[in-house]
Amino acid sequence: MSMKLFLKLVRDIKQSIGQFIALVLVVAVGAFFYAGLITYSNNLSAYTTGYFKDHNLSDLNVYYSHISKDDIAVLSEIQGINKIEGRYTFDAEQAFEKDKASLKIHSIPVKNEINTPAMIEGRIPSKKDEILLDSHYAKEHLYNVGDQIRISVNERNFTFIVSGLGENVEYAKKNEIQDHTTYGFAYIAEETVSEILDGFSYNEIMIDAQESYDIGELGQAIELQSKRLPYLNQESKERTFSYSKINETIQNNNLMSKVIPFVLFLIEAVILFLTMSRMIDSQRNQVGIMKALGAKNRNIMLHYMGYPVLVGITGSIIGCAIAAFVFVPLVTASSARAYSLPDIQFSLSLFSVIPPILFSSAFGILSCYLSGRNILKERAAQAMRPKPPKKMKKLLIERMPGIWSHLSYSYKLIIRNIFLNKPRALASSIGVIVSTVLLITAFGTQTALLKVANQVEEVYSYDLRVDYKTGTDTDTLNPPSGIKNSYFLSTFPVAFIKDNEQENANLAVTEKDNELIHFFDENEKKITLENSGVLVPQSYADKYRIAEGDIINIQFMAPDLQNKSADMKVLQISAQYSNPSFYCTPAYLESFGIDYSPTSLLVETNNATDLISVRDLFEQDQRVDTIADKNDLKESAQYILKQNSFVFIMFIISAVILSFGAIYTISSINMYERNRELATLKVLGYQKNKINRLIFFENILLTTFAVIAALPVSGYMYGMVVEALSSSHQQIPDQLTIFVLLVSVILAYLLTILSNLLLRRKVTNINMIESLKSME
């Protein structure tokens, strides 16, 4: 009997192969995203943890005008320091035919144990005039081991031999757009420093702190001990651009690897539950026949449970296989563009297939149990009989003769069929509601991503941002001619503190009338800086429930400010989608006894011609550290879009597949349940096209009801996804546009039409004699 039940399962699949494929695709989509995202998140997290540990990323970098080996030896006695190394760091330039490039060059200690390079080719420089070059920069400019490289330092030219190519943990992320053409890093032997300086000293120390030692306390102790030294600044690894960016990515990916698969698995569960429930209910006569032939209730239940288990196993294997061949290579390429992580590999674990199988099978088995237990309680003869016709009262519309009498027979048939089979209509509607909600969420999230990228240009309207080197006195600066507007800016590393929770942040300070930075609230209404408070990013406000007029505690983390804290009044909430910062004016900052020392200058030039000359003059200024322009902003915005769009494009494609799977399977079961009714219409002379039209209009009507119900649900669902993907360091705009809703609704109708077209064959293949046979 078990073999016969298995053969029946195979026959059922063969008879409704389209439905089986649709359900397999539904499961495959969830498995695809789960396997892909969990692989990316876990592998990136595990690799970076090991990479930073193996190459001993410095916990703290301290900067001086100059410092000797003896001074470093004294500092090494400070409690909390495990290892300490000194080096000399300077900026160099290279001129090429079309553009210029800058190199950040460090001396490398003889016994290098902190920030050790990962060698790609060649060896670490050990002799005078040798250089270890950034492998990505070398690739862009066609440098190989053994080549000569000419650089310019303070208008002096030097020639080096490339001894090796490598990467370094401190440059896992170089800049916002990971530009290897105009920016690189390099390392030289210590003995070469005396040539560049005409003497020898260090200007930076790297510190490996003792495990679990408080870096803030260690920083204060070093600053205190450095009072007699030309101390400039310090930066913990959590504050470095590279470390903070890569950890932010890991955190966001970790969220996405949980949220997106969970949403998809939930939708999968609804579709499988509806499908299996309807399938068993539609085969109650076959259940009766199996019982009459002596099959045990347990075996019959296991027979039906085999269907979702088979769907779950097949779909999960296909989804994970596609993830291995599509998702993993794409994220590998994306990671290579975004970071410099040598030899990182993303490999799909075989265990990734287990959660999708268990999840999809569990819901299928549950639906089989809940649907089958009542039918199995019936006697064989009772189960073999068709259900008695339902009694139906007159519909409200039937009691309106002016309307009902004017409807054609076909429309009357459609309306009565919907209300006669309310559970079936409800199940069909739920399937369409789920698919429409998913489509709206997918398109809405992609639109939000576009908005994040586009806001960069809306917020910043300067032509140039000039960052000066640490210690530069901005009072002595004389900006070149050709400038229309210019405003100073300074950024303080701070910690936001609330209810014993502390989170790193940045406080940007600029003039009240700065017209080159624009602020907006969540409704895109322009807001301005005032001298009476601080602008708080929407991302922090949402996470910590901050409202306008609240008092928030900000602690200044720069060691020279000795953890000074200030209770600041919230002026307004500012929508900042990427790299959010707190903003206030110099006057408000000084009201807390903190001096305003600008570190950057925002510049707007008169015209494009002046922009070229102004930039050239700034580039010649030795006090300038870096320069960014409008093109950098545009590239940064496009980079954000390019790096994230793959996942959301795949999410949209998956939403379409899930939606089609839901609509097709529900429509397929509807056809199966109505075989007798449709056969009767064929006998009565209804043409095939007319029957197809009846089914089509009924499905369109159900889709219309479902779309109307889906609109409010989709807003709630979209809000949940946005909230889950947002963090204090990243705000996703929670706004659904009419365009997104319209596109999603149109697509839901198109998928309904496609399902109807694919099911037309079933109407043609209805066996009228078999369908009309009465079961006595």
Side-chain angles (χ1 to χ4, degrees), residues 30 33-35 37 255-266:
F33 264 100
Y34 173 80
L37 287 171
L255 277 171
M256 285 175 62
S257 68
K258 291 179 174 64
V259 174
I260 293 179
F262 176 75
V263 171
L264 294 176
F265 280 149
L266 202 61

Side-chain angles (χ1 to χ4, degrees), residues 43-53 246-247 250 341 344:
N43 285 17
L44 185 62
S45 180
Y47 176 88
T48 51
T49 301
Y51 182 48
F52 292 155
K53 184 178 179 181
I246 205 164
N247 274 282
I250 289 170
L341 302 171
I344 185 170

Side-chain angles (χ1 to χ4, degrees), residues 328-520:
V328 172
L330 283 169
V331 296
T332 301
S334 175
S335 177
R337 286 194 306 269
Y339 304 104
S340 297
L341 302 171
D343 299 325
I344 185 170
Q345 292 180 342
F346 296 93
S347 55
L348 198 71
S349 170
L350 291 174
F351 295 106
S352 301
V353 76
I354 295 174
I357 289 174
L358 294 177
F359 196 89
S360 55
S361 298
F363 273 91
I365 288 169
L366 180 63
S367 61
C368 288
Y369 173 75
L370 295 176
S371 303
R373 60 180 179 173
N374 291 328
I375 296 173
L376 290 173
K377 288 177 184 178
E378 296 180 3
R379 295 192 305 273
Q382 186 182 356
M384 289 168 66
R385 292 193 187 100
K387 284 184 178 180
K390 293 182 180 179
K391 291 182 181 179
M392 188 174 180
K393 297 177 182 179
K394 273 192 174 184
L395 301 174
L396 180 63
I397 195 171
E398 287 185 72
R399 296 172 185 174
M400 302 176 184
I403 298 175
W404 185 254
S405 59
H406 286 87
L407 291 176
S408 68
Y409 178 73
S410 296
Y411 289 117
K412 288 178 181 178
L413 197 64
I414 290 169
I415 293 169
R416 289 190 66 84
N417 182 65
I418 289 172
F419 285 95
L420 182 64
N421 299 282
K422 290 175 186 175
R424 186 173 70 194
L426 182 63
S428 300
S429 297
I430 290 172
V432 181
I433 288 169
V434 166
S435 63
T436 307
V437 167
L438 185 60
L439 286 170
I440 291 172
T441 304
F443 280 112
T445 311
Q446 177 65 8
T447 305
L449 190 64
L450 285 165
K451 193 166 185 140
V452 169
N454 292 335
Q455 197 204 39
V456 175
E457 292 185 65
E458 293 174 6
V459 170
Y460 304 109
S461 59
Y462 55 79
D463 292 317
L464 293 174
R465 172 176 170 144
V466 182
D467 296 323
Y468 290 94
K469 293 177 181 176
T470 304
T472 301
D473 185 2
T474 52
D475 292 335
T476 62
L477 297 176
N478 293 312
S481 59
I483 293 176
K484 182 181 178 182
N485 281 317
S486 65
Y487 300 94
F488 282 113
L489 177 79
S490 184
T491 304
F492 290 84
V494 298
F496 170 77
I497 301 171
K498 185 177 182 182
D499 300 331
N500 298 321
E501 284 189 73
Q502 179 173 313
E503 186 149 5
N504 287 342
N506 287 309
L507 174 66
V509 184
T510 189
E511 290 99 318
K512 177 184 173 182
D513 59 346
N514 190 335
E515 296 175 0
L516 303 180
I517 300 181
H518 310 283
F519 305 101
F520 304 92

Side-chain angles (χ1 to χ4, degrees), residues 266-304:
L266 202 61
I267 291 164
E268 249 181 46
V270 172
I271 294 168
L272 275 170
F273 195 92
L274 288 171
T275 304
M276 294 312 303
S277 302
R278 301 281 301 283
M279 183 186 289
I280 293 178
D281 194 51
S282 67
Q283 291 193 10
R284 68 187 306 275
N285 61 326
Q286 295 186 30
V287 172
I289 293 169
M290 285 187 277
K291 286 171 73 75
L293 291 172
K296 293 180 180 178
N297 286 352
R298 183 185 61 188
N299 291 338
I300 295 171
M301 184 65 81
L302 288 174
H303 158 69
Y304 281 106

Side-chain angles (χ1 to χ4, degrees), residues 455 459 517-523 525 527-529 534-542 570-577 580-583 731:
Q455 197 204 39
V459 170
I517 300 181
H518 310 283
F519 305 101
F520 304 92
D521 63 16
E522 61 180 341
N523 298 317
K525 184 181 176 183
I527 55 179
T528 56
L529 273 174
V534 62
L535 290 183
V536 174
Q538 184 78 48
S539 53
Y540 283 84
D542 289 341
V570 178
L571 187 64
Q572 281 181 300
I573 308 298
S574 169
Q576 301 174 47
Y577 299 144
S581 297
F582 293 77
Y583 277 87
Q731 181 191 346

Side-chain angles (χ1 to χ4, degrees), residues 147 251 308 312 367 428 529 596 627 682 705:
D147 289 351
Q251 183 184 357
S367 61
S428 300
L529 273 174
Y596 171 57
I627 300 173
K682 288 182 79 173
F705 291 144

Side-chain angles (χ1 to χ4, degrees), residues 665-729:
T665 50
I666 295 297
S667 299
S668 179
I669 293 171
N670 283 348
M671 294 277 292
Y672 186 86
E673 288 179 343
R674 295 176 63 187
N675 263 4
R676 185 180 177 86
E677 177 192 331
L678 297 174
T680 304
L681 290 173
K682 288 182 79 173
V683 169
L684 292 174
Y686 266 67
Q687 294 176 350
K688 183 178 67 176
N689 289 339
K690 201 169 183 180
I691 295 173
N692 282 326
R693 202 156 48 242
L694 275 174
I695 297 167
F696 173 75
F697 280 122
E698 184 175 328
N699 284 339
I700 288 293
L701 197 61
L702 288 172
T703 300
T704 303
F705 291 144
V707 163
I708 293 169
L711 292 176
V713 177
S714 61
Y716 176 74
M717 184 75 174
Y718 173 72
M720 283 180 58
V721 171
V722 163
E723 185 179 349
L725 294 179
S726 298
S727 67
S728 54
H729 301 291

